[in-house]
Amino acid sequence: NRQVAQKFLDKIKELLPEAQQTTFTRAIKEYRSGSLAIDRLISVALDQFGEVEELVTGFRDFISGKHRQLY
C-alpha cells in the first residue's frame, strides 16, 4: 500500500539523520534494480535504523514472507 509506505518514509525522515536516510534509500534502489541481495538490504536497513525500534518493526512489514526469516 502506497500510503503505508509513504508514512514509513516520513517516519524515516523524522527519526534519522540525512546521511542515514540517503544510505537506506540508495540500498532500496539497488535492491529494486536487482544489484543488491535481500540479505544485504536487511543488513543495511538494520544498520541505519540502529536502536529506533519503530523503524526496525515497521520495515519488517515490507519484507516479503519468504524473506522474513532472514529479518
Side-chain angles (χ1 to χ4, degrees), residues 54-70:
E54 185 174 0
L55 297 180
V56 172
T57 303
F59 188 62
R60 182 182 185 280
D61 295 336
F62 295 97
I63 303 295
S64 71
K66 66 182 180 181
H67 294 121
R68 282 221 176 116
Q69 193 171 11
L70 290 171

Side-chain angles (χ1 to χ4, degrees), residues 5-70:
Q6 186 58 54
K7 189 174 180 179
F8 184 73
L9 289 174
D10 290 344
K11 261 308 164 193
I12 287 173
K13 290 177 184 176
E14 176 186 329
L15 299 173
L16 294 182
E18 189 172 339
Q20 288 173 277
Q21 293 174 36
T22 301
T23 300
F24 174 73
T25 303
R26 186 178 314 122
I28 291 289
K29 288 178 183 176
E30 289 175 9
Y31 173 72
R32 286 185 180 158
S33 76
S35 65
L36 189 69
I38 185 67
D39 59 335
R40 185 68 187 121
L41 172 63
I42 290 169
S43 178
V44 169
L46 293 177
D47 285 347
Q48 299 312 304
F49 298 161
E51 299 298 317
V52 184
E53 185 68 30
E54 185 174 0
L55 297 180
V56 172
T57 303
F59 188 62
R60 182 182 185 280
D61 295 336
F62 295 97
I63 303 295
S64 71
K66 66 182 180 181
H67 294 121
R68 282 221 176 116
Q69 193 171 11
L70 290 171

